[in-house]
């Protein structure tokens, strides 16, 4: 599947990556069966993840507004046991959060062993929105790429597998999705006029994303750039990467606590 897994130090130009790409697939119909299979497989793998209680999986989702973070979570996790998943949405930091280092609130939300954790936005906001809006001086945010890499290494060394997905939509697609939010009654509640201001800063955001990928895609916690104009392709690719990653952990159900042979339940 022609999806970009950013190599450490690789410079990416987002405007050269086709957000409409659907790889070898021509239609949603073609991809449907595979997506269904992946979702079912993910449920099985989550069950072993939980039973084995050795690894955790952390999925980081970042995107521009209307990029599809919510929809991805809804679809991809539709088959898994809700007890084994925890989604954390990172909003504007509270005064208490701001009184700590930027990773304080993030660390608390990292999934424990046996669990899948999903970050809807993440510590990357601290080098994205924060950089674009000058919320802290450059001397502060520039150090954060190293801080993030060290933090993620700590997590990986502690048994957390990290996958980071950037849902890549085009500026035109964002326009279409925002218009749909204005026009369709059941989507209107999602329309946030503030998002229009961020849209004006599109190029600044792209630059901030590109730096984050270059500096913080590591062999232990890679960034994937997912063509996301087509929701079905986005879901297929992400589910595929999650399944492959979980399979790569070679997880095993634990041995029963005692020899169970010959036990008869009266
Ligand atoms: P929705 O799809 O529901 O709009 P959302 O993730 O955009 O989801 P919002 O409540 O609209 O949720 O937005 C959260 C806002 O918080 C975003 O504008 C984001 O940039 C901002 N934010 C998140 N983390 C930080 C941070 N560390 N510093 C400043 N702003 C942040
Ligand atoms: Mg929003």
């Amino acid at each position: 599947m022609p999806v970009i897994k950013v190599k450490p130090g690789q410079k990416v130009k987002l405007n050269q990556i086709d957000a409409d790409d659907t790889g070898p697939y021509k239609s949603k119909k073609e991809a449907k069966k595979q997506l269904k299979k992946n979702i079912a497989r993910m449920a099985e793998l989550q069950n072993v993840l939980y039973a084995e209680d050795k690894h955790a999986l952390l999925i980081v989702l970042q995107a521009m507004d209307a990029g599809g973070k919510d929809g991805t979570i809804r679809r991809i996790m539709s088959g898994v046991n809700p007890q084994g998943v925890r989604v954390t949405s990172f909003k504007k930091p509270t005064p208490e959060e701001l009184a700590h280092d930027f990773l304080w609130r993030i660390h608390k939300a990292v999934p424990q062993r046996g669990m899948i954790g999903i970050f809807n936005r993440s510590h990357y906001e601290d080098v994205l929105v924060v950089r674009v809006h000058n919320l802290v001086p450059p001397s502060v945010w520039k150090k954060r790429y190293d801080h993030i890499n060290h933090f993620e290494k700590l997590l990986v060394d502690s048994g957390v597998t990290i996958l980071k997905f950037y849902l890549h939509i085009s500026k035109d697609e964002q326009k279409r999705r925002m218009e749909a939010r204005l026009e369709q009654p059941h989507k209107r509640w999602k329309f946030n006029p503030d998002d229009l201001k961020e849209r004006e800063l599109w190029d600044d955001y792209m630059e901030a994303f590109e730096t984050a990928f270059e500096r913080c895609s590591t062999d232990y916690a890679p960034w994937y750039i997912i063509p996301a104009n087509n929701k079905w392709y986005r879901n297929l690719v992400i589910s595929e990467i999650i399944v492959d990653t979980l399979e790569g952990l070679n997880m095993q159900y634990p041995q029963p606590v005692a020899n169970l042979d010959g036990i008869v339940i009266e």
Side-chain angles (χ1 to χ4, degrees):
M1 237 177 245
V3 165
I4 296 175
K5 179 179 181 181
V6 182
K7 294 187 195 74
Q10 186 184 345
K11 286 191 195 312
V12 280
K13 279 273 156 242
L14 286 170
N15 64 8
Q16 287 167 16
I17 299 172
D18 183 10
D20 277 316
D21 189 22
T22 56
Y25 297 89
K26 298 219 163 37
S27 69
K28 180 175 177 175
K29 210 167 145 227
E30 264 180 53
K32 206 171 164 184
K33 224 169 102 192
Q34 189 59 33
L35 175 63
K36 237 177 123 180
K37 214 172 112 192
N38 291 350
I39 287 173
R41 181 74 186 123
M42 218 186 292
E44 292 166 4
L45 288 161
Q46 182 209 20
N47 206 30
V48 204
L49 180 85
Y50 189 81
E52 193 191 44
D53 196 24
K54 191 168 148 194
H55 304 275
L57 176 66
L58 172 62
I59 298 168
V60 171
L61 291 176
Q62 287 287 163
M64 293 297 283
D65 292 307
K69 295 183 273 59
D70 287 343
T72 302
I73 297 168
R74 205 178 328 120
R75 188 74 186 99
I76 301 283
M77 292 296 145
S78 59
V80 303
N81 178 352
Q83 284 204 88
V85 188
R86 186 170 153 214
V87 182
T88 310
S89 298
F90 291 97
K91 309 283 182 185
K92 263 177 71 178
T94 63
E96 192 193 15
E97 288 167 347
L98 281 176
H100 290 82
D101 70 85
F102 78 104
L103 292 169
W104 180 73
R105 65 174 185 161
I106 309 290
H107 207 159
K108 285 200 296 187
V110 169
Q112 65 187 65
R113 279 195 302 272
M115 297 284 290
I116 297 177
I118 302 177
F119 284 179
N120 181 346
R121 301 186 188 266
S122 66
H123 42 307
Y124 284 91
E125 293 291 326
D126 293 280
V127 289
L128 294 167
V129 64
V130 169
R131 165 174 162 163
V132 169
H133 286 278
N134 297 307
L135 300 181
V136 299
S139 59
V140 173
W141 60 253
K142 280 185 179 170
K143 288 200 184 118
R144 289 184 171 169
Y145 301 102
D146 285 339
H147 293 149
I148 289 174
N149 289 339
H150 288 132
F151 170 65
E152 292 181 353
K153 183 76 169 70
L154 166 72
L155 300 186
V156 170
D157 286 348
S158 313
V160 183
T161 297
I162 305 177
L163 293 173
K164 301 179 293 197
F165 298 114
Y166 169 65
L167 313 181
H168 178 50
I169 58 164
S170 60
K171 203 174 173 189
D172 284 346
E173 179 63 18
Q174 189 194 50
K175 180 170 189 275
R176 282 191 286 276
R177 291 185 187 184
M178 285 180 164
E179 283 169 352
R181 286 182 181 183
L182 278 180
E183 285 156 18
Q184 299 175 27
H186 67 286
K187 289 188 176 169
R188 285 204 119 180
W189 66 274
K190 273 210 146 194
F191 188 84
N192 179 354
D194 287 346
D195 291 353
L196 298 177
K197 288 194 210 115
E198 302 311 302
R199 179 174 163 79
E200 282 174 29
L201 297 167
W202 182 276
D203 291 344
D204 295 344
Y205 271 104
M206 291 304 111
E207 219 182 297
F209 272 114
E210 287 168 358
T211 313
F213 302 149
E214 183 188 337
R215 297 286 307 276
C216 298
S217 194
T218 53
D219 50 4
Y220 53 88
W223 267 108
Y224 291 88
I225 299 172
I226 310 293
N229 276 5
N230 295 287
K231 295 172 184 168
W232 58 268
Y233 184 65
R234 168 199 82 198
N235 293 342
L236 180 67
V237 172
I238 293 179
S239 64
E240 196 96 0
I241 295 170
I242 296 174
V243 166
D244 286 352
T245 303
L246 288 174
E247 289 195 333
L249 295 177
N250 293 314
M251 298 178 292
Q252 307 287 332
Y253 284 104
Q255 291 298 315
V257 282
N259 184 357
L260 308 182
D261 294 345
I263 293 183
V264 179
I265 315 284
E266 301 278 332

